[in-house]
């Protein structure tokens, strides 16, 4: 890995933490708060939230097995993805390399930040080819984007190939593990001590059932977390989100139960799809969704919409011709979908 200073945008490196940090005194000692122009009435929502999310990070630390100083929180993972560009990539000069197909936000944020995005097609079985990825990098490649299990293909990327990339690349490797709760594969958030150049992303939006509260997270070494903290908006995680997330994290048995139910439903739904005459192929999944190649995805998609059922049409995505991405729902939602498809 290059020295961090060589990887970071110059203006971000030069930002003094004092410019952005919130120098609040320790709240435990203070009693009277006349510093932030808050309204003293309407408790508790009259106060600004904790900018460092101390309690939430302590709780997360227990659940994820990562120290609080190695955690950065975003208003959804999507915010963290944008910060990665804004910290590491100089617009109109640097580039990033990503697998294709994958989560669309990596490309959207590259375009917004005016950073070149180099997409490398996955190989047979939607698998990662480390050599192909590394060959696409040049001196201005700052970040490699990986997603495992991958969206929209559903499968986990091969661990040995991921490791080859982490070791072989001298910049930052982001591994988006949004769906790792559904997968038996080893998680890279446990490897941040071993690999100083990785950023692992997790979210409360999928297995944790909290897409509405907007909470995403990055796990990385302390130096990278410090950089993200330097650029974040002070109160990016609101009070309601912090509270609700702590509550959700204290009920992790619920998540384990949901994951078990969804995996069982997924396996039944995938089997049923294999028997549908309009389905040509069901791809293996390590997630709470799967990709299915249909005879005519576009018209099946439209037909389902008319029935009030929404799936994701991925026909236009590379390597996903005629594919629908199906999120696993409740038993009754899944049978409603199957019933409709059998009548198509
Ligand atoms: C759904 C998803 C996310 C979650 O994004 P949030 O902004 O946290 O809701 C992140 N990465 C991938 C690959 C996803 O599919």
């Amino acid at each position: 890995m290059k020295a961090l200073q060589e990887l970071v945008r110059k203006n971000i490196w030069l930002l003094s933490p004092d410019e952005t940090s919130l120098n609040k005194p320790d709240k435990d000692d203070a009693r009277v708060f006349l510093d932030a122009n808050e309204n003293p009435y309407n408790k508790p929502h009259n106060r600004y939230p904790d900018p460092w999310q101390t309690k939430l990070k302590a709780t997360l630390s227990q659940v994820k097995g990562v120290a609080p100083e190695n955690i950065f929180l975003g208003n959804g993972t999507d915010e963290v993805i944008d910060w990665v560009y804004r910290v590491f990539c100089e617009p109109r000069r640097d580039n990033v390399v990503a697998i294709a197909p994958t989560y669309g936000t990596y490309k959207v944020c590259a375009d917004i930040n005016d950073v070149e995005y180099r997409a490398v097609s996955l190989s047979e079985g939607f698998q990662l080819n480390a050599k192909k990825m590394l060959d696409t990098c040049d001196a201005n490649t700052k970040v490699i984007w990986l997603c495992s299990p991958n969206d929209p293909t559903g499968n986990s990327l091969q661990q040995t190939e991921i490791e080859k990339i982490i070791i072989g690349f001298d910049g930052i490797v982001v591994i988006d593990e949004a769906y790792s709760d559904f997968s038996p594969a080893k998680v890279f958030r446990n490897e941040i001590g071993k690999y100083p150049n990785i950023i692992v992303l997790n979210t409360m939006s999928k297995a944790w059932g909290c897409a509405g509260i907007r909470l995403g997270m990055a796990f990385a070494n302390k130096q990278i977390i410090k950089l993200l903290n330097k650029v974040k908006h002070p109160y990016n995680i609101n009070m309601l989100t912090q509270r609700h997330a702590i509550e959700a994290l204290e009920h992790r048995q619920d998540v384990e139960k949901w994951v078990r139910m969804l995996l069982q439903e997924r396996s039944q739904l995938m089997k049923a799809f294999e028997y549908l005459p309009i389905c040509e192929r069901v791809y293996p999944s390590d997630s709470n969704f799967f990709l299915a190649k249909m005879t005519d995805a576009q018209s099946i998609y439209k037909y389902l919409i008319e029935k009030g059922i929404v799936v994701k049409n991925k026909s236009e995505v590379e390597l996903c011709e005629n594919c629908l991405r199906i999120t696993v729902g409740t038993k009754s939602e899944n049978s409603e979908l199957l019933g409709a498809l059998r009548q198509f």
Side-chain angles (χ1 to χ4, degrees):
M1 181 190 176
K2 284 183 190 160
L4 205 52
Q5 185 172 357
E6 283 180 63
L7 291 171
V8 174
R9 265 193 208 178
K10 194 163 173 226
N11 65 314
I12 302 298
W13 187 262
L14 294 175
L15 261 189
S16 130
D18 298 338
E19 284 176 54
T20 49
S21 77
L22 292 143
N23 300 311
K24 284 241 176 196
D26 199 337
K27 284 237 179 188
D28 294 340
D29 303 329
R31 290 171 301 106
V32 179
F33 297 101
L34 303 176
D35 63 325
N37 298 347
E38 296 152 340
N39 183 331
Y41 305 110
N42 197 35
K43 285 182 197 321
H45 299 133
N46 59 327
R47 298 294 175 197
Y48 281 105
D50 172 8
W52 304 118
Q53 308 103 17
T54 310
K55 181 147 189 266
L56 172 51
K57 281 182 187 166
T59 312
L60 260 176
S61 174
Q62 297 287 316
V63 172
K64 301 283 184 176
V66 174
E69 64 265 30
N70 295 111
I71 303 175
F72 175 82
L73 300 180
N75 185 358
T77 313
D78 289 352
E79 188 191 22
V80 186
I81 293 168
D82 190 39
W83 287 129
V84 169
Y85 282 100
R86 294 209 248 169
V87 166
F88 293 105
C89 301
E90 206 73 69
R92 291 179 290 282
R93 188 196 73 185
D94 292 337
N95 67 73
V96 302
V97 171
I99 54 173
T102 193
Y103 189 47
T105 304
Y106 314 142
K107 168 85 164 61
V108 171
C109 289
D111 291 345
I112 290 170
N113 285 284
D114 210 355
V115 168
E116 185 196 344
Y117 184 90
R118 300 181 177 180
V120 177
S121 303
L122 290 171
S123 307
E124 187 62 29
F126 296 130
Q127 266 312 327
L128 180 62
N129 181 328
K131 184 171 185 305
K132 218 163 127 189
M133 297 288 286
L134 293 170
D135 285 348
T136 308
C137 298
D138 63 19
N140 290 329
T141 307
K142 293 298 183 66
V143 178
I144 292 180
W145 292 96
L146 301 177
C147 182
S148 181
N150 187 34
D151 179 14
T153 60
N155 62 304
S156 295
L157 303 179
Q158 237 167 38
Q159 201 177 302
T160 48
E161 290 300 295
I162 295 178
E163 279 162 354
K164 276 187 212 165
I165 289 176
I166 296 172
I167 294 163
F169 181 50
D170 57 10
I172 302 294
V173 181
V174 181
I175 307 161
D176 187 342
E177 296 187 334
Y179 298 98
S180 61
D181 296 283
F182 299 102
S183 163
K186 183 185 91 171
V187 289
F188 276 89
R189 72 166 182 271
N190 294 332
E191 310 288 316
I192 54 170
K194 184 172 170 192
Y195 300 123
N197 62 329
I198 64 172
I199 300 177
V200 177
L201 305 181
N202 272 200
T203 179
M204 294 292 284
S205 299
K206 305 290 155 62
W208 287 85
C210 291
I213 71 169
R214 309 307 299 131
L215 187 70
M217 60 208 83
F219 305 110
N221 85 48
K222 267 189 266 185
Q223 279 64 41
I224 292 177
I225 298 297
K226 268 192 198 150
L227 287 162
L228 292 167
N229 278 331
K230 245 183 2 177
V231 299
K232 83 180 188 76
H233 301 300
Y235 303 111
N236 65 329
I237 311 298
N238 74 67
M239 179 188 284
L240 305 175
T241 294
Q242 294 192 40
R243 287 217 184 115
H244 189 88
I246 290 167
E247 209 170 288
L249 289 162
E250 283 167 352
H251 293 88
R252 60 193 293 192
Q253 334 71 261
D254 288 345
V255 177
E256 285 158 15
K257 185 184 73 192
W258 294 330
V259 168
R260 273 197 307 275
M261 291 193 311
L262 289 169
L263 292 184
Q264 197 178 12
E265 276 300 309
R266 185 190 72 196
S267 107
Q268 289 180 5
L269 191 56
M270 286 170 78
K271 251 182 242 149
F273 260 70
E274 278 165 11
Y275 285 109
L276 288 173
I278 53 168
C279 176
E280 292 185 345
R281 185 165 177 193
V282 179
Y283 293 95
S285 168
D286 257 342
S287 314
N288 65 332
F289 64 87
F290 61 91
L291 202 60
K293 192 181 273 302
M294 312 301 282
T295 48
D296 182 356
Q298 179 61 22
S299 43
I300 296 166
Y301 172 77
K302 276 199 186 145
Y303 160 83
L304 288 173
I305 295 268
E306 273 160 32
K307 298 259 172 189
I309 300 170
V310 192
V311 298
K312 197 86 169 180
N313 185 3
K314 289 285 174 183
S315 302
E316 303 299 318
V317 173
E318 101 168 81
L319 307 180
C320 298
E321 198 189 331
N322 263 327
C323 285
L324 298 178
R325 191 192 69 188
I326 313 290
T327 305
V328 179
T330 62
K331 199 175 251 323
S332 75
E333 289 169 334
N334 301 334
S335 45
E336 201 175 325
L337 169 68
L338 283 172
L341 287 174
R342 284 182 185 125
Q343 282 170 23
F344 177 78

